[in-house]
Amino acid sequence: IGSVDVQATTAMLSHIALEHSLKTSLAEGRNRLHTAAQQIVQAYNMTPTAEALQFLPLYIMGMLKSCAFRGNAPDITADIRTNIWMRLETLSVSQLAAFYYPRMMALHNCPGTVGVPDDSGRVTLPDMLNLTSESMTQDGVYL
């Protein structure tokens, strides 16, 4: 349990919930995600050394809040939800993880090497921050 790949497990749970939602209903897909989160929390409580498990409920909550699984959302029509589901089916593991748990970059305090190509032509990006109010300052610029 200690070697769980959180992003791969998130992608697998996403695909399972999408498939279940298509076969039954959106509410059933959401219920399956809730059940998975409960089981993961129980497994983590039994094995507190498996630190990777503590992040899975965070990704699952991101799934439940996303436009793909948000229940009773009047702004998400069937066409839009279908488009989102089709898009999620084609995303890579890292892209799925970023979709469900987005990050931000602080642009106001970047060192001089950020955003400039190095000798091999690679551009260094700013450090990724968690998308929380604690990561932000009132006078900052974020992407």
Side-chain angles (χ1 to χ4, degrees):
I1 289 180
S3 63
V4 171
D5 185 342
V6 176
Q7 291 185 350
T9 306
T10 299
M12 181 192 67
L13 287 172
S14 174
H15 289 298
I16 290 170
L18 283 171
E19 184 178 322
H20 195 69
S21 295
L22 285 170
K23 289 182 178 178
T24 57
S25 68
L26 179 62
E28 287 294 322
R30 288 177 54 81
N31 189 28
R32 182 160 280 198
L33 286 173
H34 278 286
T35 303
Q38 289 172 347
Q39 291 171 345
I40 290 165
V41 168
Q42 288 172 351
Y44 178 71
N45 288 338
M46 287 191 235
T47 316
T49 57
E51 293 182 14
L53 288 181
Q54 70 183 348
F55 295 107
L56 272 172
L58 177 72
Y59 281 100
I60 292 172
M61 292 307 296
M63 283 184 219
L64 291 168
K65 291 180 178 182
S66 75
C67 47
F69 293 105
R70 196 176 328 142
N72 298 327
D75 58 327
I76 302 174
T77 63
D79 291 340
I80 292 173
R81 193 177 310 271
T82 301
N83 179 277
I84 292 166
W85 285 355
M86 295 303 293
R87 179 175 173 227
L88 290 176
E89 287 288 328
T90 62
L91 293 179
S92 68
V93 171
S94 60
Q95 290 171 330
L96 265 174
F99 181 83
Y100 291 128
Y101 188 63
R103 305 293 176 103
M104 69 178 169
M105 295 179 268
L107 302 178
H108 60 280
N109 58 359
C110 292
T113 58
V114 171
V116 180
D118 61 7
D119 295 336
S120 63
R122 293 185 178 167
V123 177
T124 305
L125 294 175
D127 292 333
M128 302 296 262
L129 302 172
N130 291 332
L131 192 56
T132 62
S133 60
E134 290 85 24
S135 300
M136 299 176 76
T137 60
Q138 190 171 4
D139 60 339
V141 178
Y142 302 93
L143 178 63

